[in-house]
Amino acid sequence: MTWYGAARPGARTERGSQRETSGGAVHPLDELGLVLAEAAVHSIGAVGGHAGGVYLRSGTSGLLRLAVAVGLPAELMRPWWRMHVNRPFPVAECYRRSQVIHLADGEEAMQRFPQLMAGLPFSLSSLYAPVTSGDERFGVLAALRPATSGRPVAEADQRRFTDAGSRLAAALGELHHDGTPSAGTESPSPSRSPMRTPAPCASAHSTGTSEAEH
């Protein structure tokens, strides 16, 4: 399934660890990558973001991995490829508490997550949405936007991003049910820049810090 629920080219004819379509076999990781990339690109663009990504739980307990990087070279985000859920960063707190986090600018981020700002060279606005379906906590959707100093993140953007996390969780839940792995790997997959759509205000990002997994 695509991010919006439309079938991919070729109807699915078989379920399991490898799916068969009319266009040939599709490896499960390819399908997972497609779902993640589409979700990240469209949801980040919908809130006026320039960059971000999706963190997924990993095979190591308590460790999240950046599965898809959008708008920035994956190598540039290497210090944030891994994030332990107990670290004092918004990605970790969002996952740990299954709560959305919105940071309008560097001042708000400094107040709530001072260690985050120590690793960023400039002020940004960021949004984080839990990717959760029932008791399944898959990860976190993150977006980076220009700072909106003195203004909170618009409610419309908050709703858009929260809903995006829920839709991604539903898509991952379906893949998980079908037997497709839904865990982060050693390195993230790069994706194209988000297609921005008009939004009432600008805002988005934050991931972790160097050595965030320790």
Side-chain angles (χ1 to χ4, degrees), residues 22-89:
S22 59
V26 178
H27 191 277
L29 291 181
D30 292 337
E31 184 158 9
L32 173 64
L34 176 65
V35 168
L36 294 175
E38 288 187 339
V41 168
H42 289 290
S43 59
I44 292 170
V47 296
H50 296 293
V54 180
Y55 281 83
L56 291 181
R57 61 192 180 186
S58 70
T60 302
S61 178
L63 185 67
L64 302 177
R65 292 186 183 276
L66 181 62
V68 169
V70 174
L72 290 172
E75 191 63 29
L76 185 64
M77 301 181 72
R78 179 179 284 275
W80 298 281
W81 282 8
R82 299 190 293 178
M83 171 65 62
H84 197 280
V85 298
N86 289 326
R87 296 295 290 163
F89 295 100

Side-chain angles (χ1 to χ4, degrees), residues 139-155:
V140 174
L141 180 63
L144 300 174
R145 311 192 311 177
T148 55
S149 300
R151 301 198 313 272
V153 175
E155 290 186 6

